[in-house]
Amino acid sequence: LYREVRDAFLARGGADDARTILASANLAQCLALAGESAEAEREFKAIGEIAIRVLGPSSRITLANDSNYAALLAEQSRFAESAVILERAAPLIERELGRAHPQCLAARSSLARARVGLGQPARALEVLSEVESFDAPSRPITRLERRSIEIALQAAEAAGDAAKAGRLRAILTRKPS
């Protein structure tokens, strides 16, 4: 379905049409989620270049595509490539959407994951400095917050920070009141 939608926008508006770019970014993400990594990567790369040229580097579509592509690379343990993309995109996402926006947290979590994979746990912890604030007893933590805490826990353990690792473990195991 996503391929058909993209092809329809492509036929109607061309490759530089914003709707085609968005449909292509959605197709790439769907391919990634379906486990079709090679095809997803080709789509992410192709649409990334077009999105930057047509929409600009700080467009929400460009930033979402970059973030999703970097997450795919990190899942393939291609941490250096992932980090390069996110070093550029994460600050732009934060500036455009705000630090509290879920897409910002997702990008910073992917960057932290890449840094842990590159053997830079202290730098990973810098990116996720606020995860201990997710410990609000009155509400459950979200799936994204949980993933961020898990990455920070990996970084704390790799950095040898037992106290921080213990605090993060406690957040992951607590039950909301």
CSV table of all heavy atoms in Angstrom, one decimal, residues 110-136:
chain,number,residue,atom,x,y,z
A,110,SER,N,18.6,6.9,20.2
A,110,SER,CA,19.4,6.2,19.1
A,110,SER,C,20.8,6.7,19.1
A,110,SER,O,21.8,5.9,18.9
A,110,SER,CB,18.7,6.5,17.7
A,110,SER,OG,17.5,5.9,17.6
A,111,LEU,N,21.1,8.0,19.3
A,111,LEU,CA,22.4,8.5,19.4
A,111,LEU,C,23.2,7.9,20.5
A,111,LEU,O,24.3,7.4,20.4
A,111,LEU,CB,22.4,10.0,19.5
A,111,LEU,CG,23.8,10.7,19.6
A,111,LEU,CD1,24.7,10.3,18.5
A,111,LEU,CD2,23.6,12.2,19.7
A,112,ALA,N,22.5,7.8,21.7
A,112,ALA,CA,23.2,7.1,22.9
A,112,ALA,C,23.5,5.7,22.6
A,112,ALA,O,24.6,5.2,22.9
A,112,ALA,CB,22.3,7.3,24.1
A,113,ARG,N,22.6,5.0,21.9
A,113,ARG,CA,22.8,3.6,21.6
A,113,ARG,C,24.0,3.4,20.7
A,113,ARG,O,24.9,2.6,20.8
A,113,ARG,CB,21.6,3.0,20.9
A,113,ARG,CG,21.7,1.5,20.5
A,113,ARG,CD,20.4,1.0,20.0
A,113,ARG,NE,20.6,-0.4,19.7
A,113,ARG,CZ,20.0,-1.0,18.6
A,113,ARG,NH1,19.2,-0.3,17.8
A,113,ARG,NH2,20.2,-2.3,18.4
A,114,ALA,N,24.1,4.3,19.7
A,114,ALA,CA,25.3,4.3,18.8
A,114,ALA,C,26.6,4.6,19.6
A,114,ALA,O,27.6,3.9,19.3
A,114,ALA,CB,25.1,5.3,17.7
A,115,ARG,N,26.5,5.5,20.5
A,115,ARG,CA,27.7,5.9,21.3
A,115,ARG,C,28.1,4.7,22.2
A,115,ARG,O,29.3,4.4,22.4
A,115,ARG,CB,27.5,7.1,22.1
A,115,ARG,CG,27.5,8.4,21.2
A,115,ARG,CD,27.3,9.6,22.0
A,115,ARG,NE,27.5,10.8,21.2
A,115,ARG,CZ,27.2,12.0,21.7
A,115,ARG,NH1,26.7,12.2,22.9
A,115,ARG,NH2,27.3,13.1,20.9
A,116,VAL,N,27.2,4.0,22.8
A,116,VAL,CA,27.5,2.8,23.5
A,116,VAL,C,28.2,1.8,22.6
A,116,VAL,O,29.2,1.2,23.0
A,116,VAL,CB,26.2,2.2,24.2
A,116,VAL,CG1,26.5,0.8,24.8
A,116,VAL,CG2,25.7,3.1,25.3
A,117,GLY,N,27.6,1.6,21.4
A,117,GLY,CA,28.2,0.7,20.5
A,117,GLY,C,29.6,1.0,20.0
A,117,GLY,O,30.4,0.2,19.7
A,118,LEU,N,29.9,2.3,20.1
A,118,LEU,CA,31.2,2.8,19.7
A,118,LEU,C,32.2,2.8,20.9
A,118,LEU,O,33.3,3.3,20.7
A,118,LEU,CB,31.1,4.2,19.1
A,118,LEU,CG,30.4,4.3,17.7
A,118,LEU,CD1,30.2,5.8,17.4
A,118,LEU,CD2,31.3,3.6,16.7
A,119,GLY,N,31.7,2.3,22.0
A,119,GLY,CA,32.6,2.3,23.2
A,119,GLY,C,32.7,3.7,23.9
A,119,GLY,O,33.7,4.0,24.5
A,120,GLN,N,31.7,4.5,23.8
A,120,GLN,CA,31.7,5.9,24.4
A,120,GLN,C,30.5,6.0,25.4
A,120,GLN,O,29.6,6.8,25.2
A,120,GLN,CB,31.5,6.9,23.3
A,120,GLN,CG,32.6,6.9,22.2
A,120,GLN,CD,32.3,7.7,21.0
A,120,GLN,OE1,31.2,8.2,20.8
A,120,GLN,NE2,33.2,7.9,20.1
A,121,PRO,N,30.5,5.2,26.4
A,121,PRO,CA,29.4,5.2,27.3
A,121,PRO,C,29.2,6.5,28.1
A,121,PRO,O,28.0,6.9,28.3
A,121,PRO,CB,29.7,4.1,28.3
A,121,PRO,CG,31.2,3.9,28.3
A,121,PRO,CD,31.5,4.2,26.8
A,122,ALA,N,30.3,7.2,28.4
A,122,ALA,CA,30.1,8.5,29.1
A,122,ALA,C,29.4,9.5,28.2
A,122,ALA,O,28.5,10.3,28.6
A,122,ALA,CB,31.5,9.1,29.5
A,123,ARG,N,29.7,9.5,26.9
A,123,ARG,CA,29.1,10.4,25.9
A,123,ARG,C,27.6,10.0,25.8
A,123,ARG,O,26.7,10.8,25.6
A,123,ARG,CB,29.8,10.4,24.6
A,123,ARG,CG,31.2,11.1,24.7
A,123,ARG,CD,31.8,11.4,23.4
A,123,ARG,NE,31.0,12.4,22.7
A,123,ARG,CZ,31.0,12.5,21.3
A,123,ARG,NH1,31.6,11.6,20.6
A,123,ARG,NH2,30.3,13.4,20.8
A,124,ALA,N,27.3,8.7,25.8
A,124,ALA,CA,25.9,8.2,25.7
A,124,ALA,C,25.1,8.7,26.9
A,124,ALA,O,24.0,9.2,26.7
A,124,ALA,CB,25.9,6.7,25.7
A,125,LEU,N,25.7,8.7,28.1
A,125,LEU,CA,25.0,9.2,29.3
A,125,LEU,C,24.7,10.7,29.2
A,125,LEU,O,23.7,11.2,29.7
A,125,LEU,CB,25.8,8.8,30.6
A,125,LEU,CG,25.8,7.4,30.9
A,125,LEU,CD1,26.8,7.1,32.1
A,125,LEU,CD2,24.4,6.9,31.3
A,126,GLU,N,25.6,11.4,28.6
A,126,GLU,CA,25.4,12.9,28.4
A,126,GLU,C,24.1,13.2,27.6
A,126,GLU,O,23.4,14.1,27.9
A,126,GLU,CB,26.6,13.5,27.7
A,126,GLU,CG,27.9,13.6,28.5
A,126,GLU,CD,29.1,14.0,27.6
A,126,GLU,OE1,28.9,14.4,26.5
A,126,GLU,OE2,30.2,13.9,28.1
A,127,VAL,N,23.9,12.4,26.6
A,127,VAL,CA,22.8,12.6,25.7
A,127,VAL,C,21.5,12.3,26.4
A,127,VAL,O,20.4,12.9,26.2
A,127,VAL,CB,22.9,11.7,24.4
A,127,VAL,CG1,21.7,11.7,23.6
A,127,VAL,CG2,24.1,12.0,23.6
A,128,LEU,N,21.5,11.3,27.3
A,128,LEU,CA,20.3,10.9,28.1
A,128,LEU,C,20.4,11.3,29.5
A,128,LEU,O,19.9,10.6,30.4
A,128,LEU,CB,20.1,9.4,27.9
A,128,LEU,CG,19.8,8.8,26.6
A,128,LEU,CD1,19.8,7.3,26.5
A,128,LEU,CD2,18.5,9.4,26.0
A,129,SER,N,20.9,12.5,29.8
A,129,SER,CA,21.1,12.9,31.1
A,129,SER,C,19.8,13.0,32.0
A,129,SER,O,19.9,12.9,33.2
A,129,SER,CB,21.8,14.3,31.1
A,129,SER,OG,21.0,15.2,30.4
A,130,GLU,N,18.7,13.2,31.3
A,130,GLU,CA,17.4,13.4,32.1
A,130,GLU,C,16.6,12.1,32.4
A,130,GLU,O,15.6,12.2,33.0
A,130,GLU,CB,16.5,14.4,31.4
A,130,GLU,CG,15.7,13.8,30.2
A,130,GLU,CD,16.5,13.5,28.9
A,130,GLU,OE1,17.7,13.7,28.9
A,130,GLU,OE2,15.8,13.1,28.0
A,131,VAL,N,17.1,10.9,32.0
A,131,VAL,CA,16.3,9.7,32.2
A,131,VAL,C,15.9,9.4,33.6
A,131,VAL,O,14.8,8.9,33.8
A,131,VAL,CB,16.9,8.5,31.5
A,131,VAL,CG1,17.0,8.7,30.0
A,131,VAL,CG2,18.2,8.1,32.1
A,132,GLU,N,16.7,9.8,34.5
A,132,GLU,CA,16.3,9.6,35.9
A,132,GLU,C,15.1,10.4,36.3
A,132,GLU,O,14.4,10.0,37.3
A,132,GLU,CB,17.5,9.8,36.9
A,132,GLU,CG,18.6,8.8,36.8
A,132,GLU,CD,19.7,9.0,37.7
A,132,GLU,OE1,19.5,8.8,38.9
A,132,GLU,OE2,20.8,9.4,37.3
A,133,SER,N,14.8,11.5,35.6
A,133,SER,CA,13.6,12.3,35.9
A,133,SER,C,12.3,11.6,35.5
A,133,SER,O,11.2,12.0,35.8
A,133,SER,CB,13.7,13.6,35.2
A,133,SER,OG,13.5,13.5,33.8
A,134,PHE,N,12.4,10.5,34.7
A,134,PHE,CA,11.2,9.7,34.3
A,134,PHE,C,10.6,8.9,35.5
A,134,PHE,O,9.6,8.4,35.3
A,134,PHE,CB,11.6,8.7,33.2
A,134,PHE,CG,12.1,9.3,31.9
A,134,PHE,CD1,12.8,8.6,31.0
A,134,PHE,CD2,11.8,10.6,31.6
A,134,PHE,CE1,13.3,9.1,29.8
A,134,PHE,CE2,12.3,11.2,30.4
A,134,PHE,CZ,13.0,10.4,29.5
A,135,ASP,N,11.3,8.9,36.6
A,135,ASP,CA,10.8,8.2,37.8
A,135,ASP,C,9.8,9.0,38.5
A,135,ASP,O,10.0,9.7,39.5
A,135,ASP,CB,12.0,7.9,38.7
A,135,ASP,CG,11.7,7.0,39.8
A,135,ASP,OD1,10.6,6.3,39.7
A,135,ASP,OD2,12.4,6.9,40.8
A,136,ALA,N,8.6,9.0,37.9
A,136,ALA,CA,7.4,9.7,38.5
A,136,ALA,C,6.5,8.6,39.1
A,136,ALA,O,5.8,8.0,38.3
A,136,ALA,CB,6.7,10.6,37.5
